[in-house]
């Protein structure tokens, strides 16, 4: 029995009292021998589910019909996501459900046979079709691009608030009023705005981090984003008053 389990650890799921066990070790083997009625072994290579190969190509970028391998790849990719992506509610309902069932998953078999299909609009994996695969790929892409999209939104909101279309234009306007800026917040913002000899992402990250008081956007929550919008509008209003006062 030990030889069979050890040689097939990548092909079987072990359940103790109906709970999936992630790690097989000597203590578990002792419990299997002492109370075999508490355990169940289930094969994770599903030869009769061709849709798994399509799923594996989306998640692993290679073909596999082993649910355990696909689950490991999915969990690994989810763990790489930023704090903002893992906490934001600014996603469509399918993607939110998809993210949440993965975070709360306790069993790789039920995760793919039931939980993920339900989160994306079908009952069980055996009922899923091309629409399910499209929704799966879309949800993964939305999660992977969530923080990048946030950066784009931040930049767009900043430009809209200051009524400008580029960082070069904003820099010129700040330089024109530089000698009249006495308020600390506007002066720090000035120092960040005029440093345009960096990538766009680094430029907007620095500004957003300052406005939101030293937390980088990838670590934000939805509340942080809301606070950023309010503070940006307040700074823009002060800047407009300064521009109007000195006639620029």
């Amino acid at each position: 029995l030990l030889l069979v389990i050890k040689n097939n650890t990548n092909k079987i799921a072990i359940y103790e009292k109906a709970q999936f066990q992630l790690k097989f070790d000597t203590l578990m083997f002792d419990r299997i021998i002492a109370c075999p009625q508490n355990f169940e072994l289930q094969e994770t290579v599903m030869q009769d589910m061709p849709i798994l190969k399509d799923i594996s190509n989306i998640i692993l970028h290679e073909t596999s019909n082993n649910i355990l391998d696909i689950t490991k790849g999915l969990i690994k990719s989810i763990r790489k996501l930023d704090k903002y992506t893992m906490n934001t509610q600014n996603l469509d309902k399918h993607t939110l459900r998809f993210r949440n069932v993965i975070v709360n998953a306790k069993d790789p078999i039920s995760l793919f046979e039931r939980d993920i299909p339900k989160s994306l609009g079908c009952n069980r994996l055996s009922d899923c079709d091309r629409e399910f695969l499209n929704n799966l790929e879309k949800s993964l892409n939305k999660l992977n691009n969530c923080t990048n999209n946030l950066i784009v939104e931040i930049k767009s909101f900043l430009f809209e608030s200051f009524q400008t279309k580029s960082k070069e234009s904003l820099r010129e306007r700040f330089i024109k009023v530089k000698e009249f800026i006495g308020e600390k917040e506007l002066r720090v913002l000035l120092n960040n705005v005029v440093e345009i000899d960096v990538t766009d992402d680094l430029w907007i990250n620095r500004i957003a981090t300052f406005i939101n008081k030293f937390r980088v956007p990838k670590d934000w929550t939805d509340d942080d984003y809301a606070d950023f919008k309010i503070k940006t509008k307040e700074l823009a209003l002060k800047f407009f008053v300064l521009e109007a006062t000195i006639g620029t």
Side-chain angles (χ1 to χ4, degrees), residues 109-225:
I109 307 296
S110 62
L111 176 65
F112 274 96
E113 285 193 341
R114 182 192 65 216
D115 299 338
I116 288 179
K118 279 188 176 181
S119 73
L120 297 176
C122 60
N123 290 324
R124 300 190 68 83
L125 188 61
S126 55
D127 303 325
C128 293
D129 53 16
R130 173 53 58 181
E131 183 180 359
F132 163 78
L133 293 172
N134 290 338
N135 288 336
L136 173 65
E137 190 164 18
K138 286 178 183 177
S139 291
L140 279 172
N141 286 336
K142 286 177 181 177
L143 289 175
N144 288 327
N145 293 313
C146 186
T147 301
N148 290 335
N149 291 337
L150 172 66
I151 299 300
V152 172
E153 289 179 19
I154 289 172
K155 184 178 179 181
S156 176
F157 187 83
L158 179 75
F159 286 171
E160 178 187 332
S161 298
F162 281 86
Q163 297 178 8
T164 190
K165 294 183 178 180
S166 69
K167 63 182 184 181
E168 289 80 11
S169 172
L170 188 60
R171 178 180 185 270
E172 288 178 9
R173 287 169 61 193
F174 264 88
I175 288 176
K176 285 181 180 179
V177 300
K178 180 179 178 180
E179 62 180 300
F180 300 96
I181 296 178
E183 186 173 322
K184 182 179 178 181
E185 280 197 323
L186 277 180
R187 183 158 291 280
V188 176
L189 181 59
L190 161 77
N191 293 335
N192 284 284
V193 166
V194 298
E195 292 292 333
I196 65 172
D197 295 328
V198 293
T199 64
D200 285 357
D201 280 355
L202 181 56
W203 183 79
I204 194 63
N205 264 283
R206 285 177 176 174
I207 292 173
T209 302
F210 156 68
I211 293 176
N212 204 51
K213 301 305 178 189
F214 314 115
R215 292 182 66 184
V216 292
K218 70 177 184 178
D219 291 334
W220 284 6
T221 63
D222 291 340
D223 290 342
D224 289 324
Y225 188 23

Side-chain angles (χ1 to χ4, degrees), residues 75-126:
I75 297 298
K76 184 178 179 181
S77 65
I78 292 297
R79 285 177 176 171
K80 291 179 180 178
L81 297 176
D82 296 320
K83 181 180 176 182
Y84 175 78
T85 305
M86 296 303 295
N87 288 282
T88 183
Q89 299 300 306
N90 294 325
L91 293 165
D92 64 87
K93 64 178 183 179
H94 280 322
T95 305
L96 283 175
R97 291 174 185 169
F98 175 69
R99 182 194 68 188
N100 292 339
V101 298
I102 297 170
V103 171
N104 297 312
K106 292 180 172 61
D107 178 356
I109 307 296
S110 62
L111 176 65
F112 274 96
E113 285 193 341
R114 182 192 65 216
D115 299 338
I116 288 179
K118 279 188 176 181
S119 73
L120 297 176
C122 60
N123 290 324
R124 300 190 68 83
L125 188 61
S126 55

